[in-house]
């Protein structure tokens, strides 16, 4: 299957092109950008902490089968939706912290204000599209695209999986044994 196109994919490039075409100098806005980035990051972190507590309070007991991938093997594991959603919230918290470290390093090392602006905007855009937010906050049903376990949309992973399928399809079929000749 081909990766799905989302207009959200164009947000970051459009913002970057706008800054470049309009020749906006972000350096004079460094302090407000830092404040906006810190506010967006703290809001995202606190939101997922709140979401995790909401999930734990619901105590949903339906079962979900999750395939955990480790280098060299993958295992199927059954867990409740409460456990799965809690794990997803913790993953989002960890991703936000790692993103904060990377953006902080880039800004500290090279003084670039662009990552601060991009992340300040994109954190809220990504928050609105998150399946956990749509299920637990917006009250949408966990069916279709929102069915658990959530599909991680990664164009690179999709490409690699497609290549595996192509390799399997291209592999020659095992040859049938030749019939024994009778004398």
């Amino acid at each position: 299957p081909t990766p799905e196109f989302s207009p959200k994919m164009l947000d970051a490039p459009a913002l970057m092109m706008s800054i470049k075409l309009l020749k906006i100098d972000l350096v004079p806005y460094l302090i407000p950008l830092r404040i906006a980035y810190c506010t967006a990051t703290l809001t995202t972190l606190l939101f997922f902490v709140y979401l995790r507590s909401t999930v734990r309070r619901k105590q949903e007991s339906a079962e979900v089968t999750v395939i955990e991938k480790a280098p060299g093997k993958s295992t199927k594991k059954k867990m409740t939706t409460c456990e799965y959603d809690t794990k997803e919230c913790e993953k989002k918290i960890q991703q936000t912290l790692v993103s904060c470290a990377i953006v902080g390093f880039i800004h500290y090392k090279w003084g670039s204000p662009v990552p601060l602006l991009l992340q300040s905007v994109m954190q809220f855009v990504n928050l609105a599209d998150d399946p956990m937010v749509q299920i637990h906050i917006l009250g949408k049903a966990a069916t279709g695209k929102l069915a658990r376990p959530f599909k991680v949309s990664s164009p690179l992973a999709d490409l690699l999986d497609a290549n595996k399928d192509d390799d399997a399809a291209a592999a020659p079929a095992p040859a049938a044994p030749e019939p024994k000749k009778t004398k």
Side-chain angles (χ1 to χ4, degrees), residues 11-12 20 41 53 69 84 116-117 145 148 163 171-172 178:
D11 289 349
K20 191 169 183 109
T41 301
S53 68
K69 294 181 181 178
Y84 178 76
L116 297 176
L117 177 64
K145 291 180 184 178
R148 293 174 185 96
N163 286 342
E178 292 182 21

Side-chain angles (χ1 to χ4, degrees), residues 44 47-58 60 64 79-93 95 126-143 145-151:
T44 303
F47 190 81
F48 278 112
V49 168
Y50 167 75
L51 193 59
R52 183 178 61 185
S53 68
T54 302
V55 166
R56 287 180 178 166
R57 261 187 275 125
K58 285 184 180 179
E60 294 176 354
V64 178
M79 57 178 62
T80 65
T81 54
C82 179
E83 292 170 336
Y84 178 76
D85 289 354
T86 301
K87 205 173 198 178
E88 286 296 308
C89 284
E90 290 169 355
K91 223 187 280 185
K92 295 293 182 176
I93 291 168
Q95 286 175 351
N126 290 335
L127 195 62
D129 283 347
D130 192 84
M132 296 290 294
V133 172
Q134 292 190 7
I135 291 171
H136 294 288
I137 303 299
L138 300 178
K140 292 186 178 180
T143 57
K145 291 180 184 178
L146 300 177
R148 293 174 185 96
F150 304 126
K151 184 179 182 292

Side-chain angles (χ1 to χ4, degrees), residues 95-115:
Q95 286 175 351
T96 303
L97 291 172
V98 168
S99 170
C100 182
I102 291 169
V103 170
F105 175 77
I106 290 170
H107 179 63
Y108 174 75
K109 185 73 175 167
W110 294 290
S112 177
V114 176

